[in-house]
Amino acid sequence: MPEQNESPYTRSGRLFAALAVLRLAAGTDTTPATPDDHSPKDHPQGRIDRLALKPAPYDLLTKSRTGAHWPAAAEAFRRIPDFLDAGPAVTGPMTEKGLVEHKAGYEAQMALFREKFPDLPM
């Protein structure tokens, strides 16, 4: 869950991590996407848009998965509204500070997922 005082860049990094875990749990990706998979100047909303798919296919795909995949997908689904309630992701070029905050949010959220689902390759 995002902290109240987190910047929009940090929150967008957390949302990016949740979507990356959702794709991993669904089998869409074999390793989670990272902020480094994009140009440093890409704005958070563009990163999220490229990573996101319509949620329904994840639900269907993960039901056929075994092990930690289904619980990880369910956890990621539960987290997404927390990030969306705080407001939209930032659009426009990302500053160096924004990129650092975005990566920090991603790493903080991924650390929570890694701790909760150590059997997934994150």
Side-chain angles (χ1 to χ4, degrees):
M1 181 165 196
E3 300 293 325
Q4 293 296 330
N5 60 350
E6 286 184 335
S7 76
Y9 290 105
T10 304
R11 287 192 309 271
S12 72
R14 287 183 177 275
L15 175 57
F16 187 93
L19 293 171
V21 168
L22 206 47
R23 290 175 61 99
L24 178 71
T28 303
D29 296 333
T30 56
T31 59
T34 72
D36 293 329
D37 295 336
H38 299 273
S39 165
K41 294 285 186 190
D42 286 351
H43 58 80
Q45 185 63 54
R47 291 167 179 237
I48 290 165
D49 288 348
R50 282 188 293 283
L51 191 62
L53 296 175
K54 295 188 186 322
Y58 291 121
D59 184 23
L60 297 172
L61 290 171
T62 55
K63 282 186 178 178
S64 65
R65 307 280 297 185
T66 59
H69 290 86
W70 178 247
E75 179 71 16
F77 266 119
R78 280 193 292 276
R79 293 290 151 239
I80 290 171
D82 294 339
F83 309 123
L84 298 178
D85 285 344
V90 179
T91 58
M94 194 165 352
T95 63
E96 185 63 34
K97 182 179 185 259
L99 181 59
V100 168
E101 291 174 2
H102 181 76
K103 286 182 176 183
Y106 172 87
E107 289 301 331
Q109 193 63 43
M110 287 302 287
L112 295 173
F113 284 122
R114 285 181 190 113
E115 182 179 320
K116 194 162 187 171
F117 305 103
D119 294 337
L120 287 182
M122 293 189 265

